[in-house]
Amino acid sequence: MEFIPVCEPFLNGNEKDYVNDCLNTGWISSTGKYVKAFEESFAKYCDAKYAVGVTNGTVALHLALVAAGIGKDDEVIIPNFTMIATAFSICYTGAIPVFVDADPLTWNIDVNLIEAKITKRTRAIMPVSIFGHPCDMDEINALAQKYGLMVIEDAAESHGADYKGRKVGTLADITSFSFFANKNLTTGEGGALVTNNEELYRKMLYFKNMCFPLDSPRNYLHHNIGFNYRMSNIHAAIGLAQVEKADEYKQMRIRNHQNYTNLLGGVNGISFQQSKDYVTNVFWMNAILIDPEKYGRSRDELVMHLKNQNIDTRLLFRGMHVQPSLIEYGCDCNGNYPVTTDLSDNGFYLPSGSSLSKEVIERIAFEIVKFSK
């Protein structure tokens, strides 16, 4: 049986031509025409004024926090159910991540639980659009305005998603993206920040390039501690080619989800992430949640069965409150997070690459249905 990977990049545009142009001209580092072209193209795609390309999604979050002035002993509210990079980026600044459980339907941060976690030390809210589903940003922005907080959206998984007719990238003070190889849009490794705020944009440009001055010649005097978070021209060249076909790739991921739900939506004991009717979910990953009593098998038994059929999968994120690194760092990891726990214990990703054929999805679904009791 042919191996089905959990996700693989889809590169069927101008990637080779643009990368070869970088190689042929010698512009392979962070100076070159593709960096600016990619940033302008991605900003336009997000309906935002500014974009800043960086080396990966984690440093994008860190750079956003630095530009927002987040520092030692500040608190930043994040979902408990997220990739660890969300929390780590806050720890890099000396601030403290504060956890909120997931909504049981969308699996995003539960907006009804955020206000109880706000203290005098809270400086920002960092919602994460899990698996491509935008968060309830109107409610989050209202809380931020009420308490004078920044909103930094971690949109690593939601390129092209929209919320009430507005693109992700225009819903927060700063929005961060990842372009890792498994994302809907990829540069191999890479990230970007988008904003409509010129002051924040200039701060991000400044800090990402070792705090060299923006408006005067380099005199090699550095007045702040900066970072080398520059995106290379080669990565930007791949990114530009990807953005040129972004809507096509978005529709491919949405079609994958439709095929999965058509085949598995009626299977007892299997549930999918639920999408609100006012969002466009771009389904970075198709995750399912297993109810062992109804399905008749545990999540781990099903994962092993699929592995034996040469079908690759991935478990879902573990909650931030059980991470040894964050416990040692000093985060408040007490309390109950029942939705996160259920997702971590009983959920996993199905193969979700953009180029999956309907026939491959049918093979995966057949094995899932056959294995149930």
Side-chain angles (χ1 to χ4, degrees), residues 260-307:
Y260 272 124
T261 53
N262 287 341
L263 294 164
L264 295 173
V267 177
N268 198 26
I270 291 179
S271 58
F272 288 85
Q273 179 188 37
Q274 300 299 301
S275 296
K276 299 288 184 69
D277 58 8
Y278 46 79
V279 310
T280 299
N281 188 340
V282 293
F283 299 104
W284 166 60
M285 284 287 169
N286 284 279
I288 59 174
L289 188 60
I290 302 298
D291 183 328
E293 291 187 5
K294 294 180 180 178
Y295 181 70
R297 309 270 193 172
S298 72
R299 184 272 310 272
D300 293 344
E301 288 175 320
L302 176 55
V303 166
M304 182 56 66
H305 171 71
L306 294 175
K307 181 179 180 181

Side-chain angles (χ1 to χ4, degrees), residues 89 118 290 296 321:
S89 67
I118 295 174
I290 302 298
H321 71 297

Side-chain angles (χ1 to χ4, degrees), residues 202-221:
R202 289 178 61 82
K203 284 182 178 180
M204 291 186 290
L205 288 178
Y206 174 67
F207 282 105
K208 87 159 187 176
N209 191 25
M210 307 296 287
C211 293
F212 281 111
L214 298 180
D215 302 318
S216 60
R218 294 184 177 183
N219 60 9
Y220 293 93
L221 290 174

Side-chain angles (χ1 to χ4, degrees), residues 10-256:
F10 191 50
L11 308 166
N12 77 332
N14 289 313
E15 289 87 356
K16 288 183 180 179
D17 290 341
Y18 293 166
V19 169
N20 283 334
D21 184 42
C22 295
L23 299 176
N24 291 336
T25 60
W27 293 101
I28 62 172
S29 191
S30 58
T31 302
K33 65 181 181 181
Y34 288 105
V35 175
K36 183 176 180 181
F38 167 68
E39 289 174 338
E40 291 178 348
S41 178
F42 190 64
K44 182 177 180 181
Y45 181 67
C46 295
D47 293 335
K49 291 182 180 180
Y50 310 106
V52 178
V54 293
T55 49
N56 60 62
T58 306
V59 304
L61 289 170
H62 179 224
L63 185 61
L65 290 160
V66 170
I70 305 300
K72 183 174 175 57
D73 296 329
D74 292 335
E75 293 180 349
V76 179
I77 293 174
I78 66 170
N80 191 49
F81 181 67
T82 185
M83 167 66 176
I84 193 70
T86 309
F88 278 176
S89 67
I90 298 164
C91 298
Y92 300 157
T93 70
I96 306 295
V98 176
F99 315 131
V100 173
D101 202 9
D103 177 272
L105 298 179
T106 66
W107 306 345
N108 284 330
I109 190 168
D110 189 333
V111 295
N112 297 309
L113 304 178
I114 293 176
E115 190 166 19
K117 294 295 183 86
I118 295 174
T119 72
K120 292 180 179 180
R121 294 165 58 188
T122 306
R123 292 286 307 283
I125 305 171
M126 186 182 283
V128 182
S129 43
I130 294 293
F131 306 150
H133 188 298
C135 298
D136 285 321
M137 295 302 294
D138 285 349
E139 290 87 342
I140 290 169
N141 284 323
L143 280 173
Q145 185 174 11
K146 178 179 178 180
Y147 290 98
L149 309 177
M150 295 285 291
V151 178
I152 300 170
E153 184 180 12
D154 181 347
E157 304 165 3
S158 59
H159 320 74
D162 66 58
Y163 169 82
K164 298 183 179 179
R166 292 174 287 157
K167 279 281 188 73
V168 167
T170 62
L171 306 172
D173 295 297
I174 306 174
T175 304
S176 171
F177 293 88
S178 167
F179 300 107
F180 186 63
N182 61 13
K183 297 300 191 292
N184 294 23
L185 300 179
T186 183
T187 61
E189 285 280 5
L193 294 154
V194 298
T195 185
N196 286 325
N197 185 305
E198 184 178 5
E199 181 182 358
L200 291 172
Y201 168 65
R202 289 178 61 82
K203 284 182 178 180
M204 291 186 290
L205 288 178
Y206 174 67
F207 282 105
K208 87 159 187 176
N209 191 25
M210 307 296 287
C211 293
F212 281 111
L214 298 180
D215 302 318
S216 60
R218 294 184 177 183
N219 60 9
Y220 293 93
L221 290 174
H222 301 263
H223 295 281
N224 301 95
I225 295 176
F227 314 95
N228 180 359
Y229 286 169
R230 300 184 299 263
M231 173 179 273
S232 80
N233 204 41
I234 291 177
H235 289 91
I238 298 170
L240 178 62
Q242 290 274 294
V243 175
E244 289 172 350
K245 306 196 78 173
D247 284 332
E248 177 184 336
Y249 297 161
K250 168 181 166 179
Q251 291 305 318
M252 294 172 81
R253 298 274 180 147
I254 291 172
R255 186 165 59 248
N256 285 348

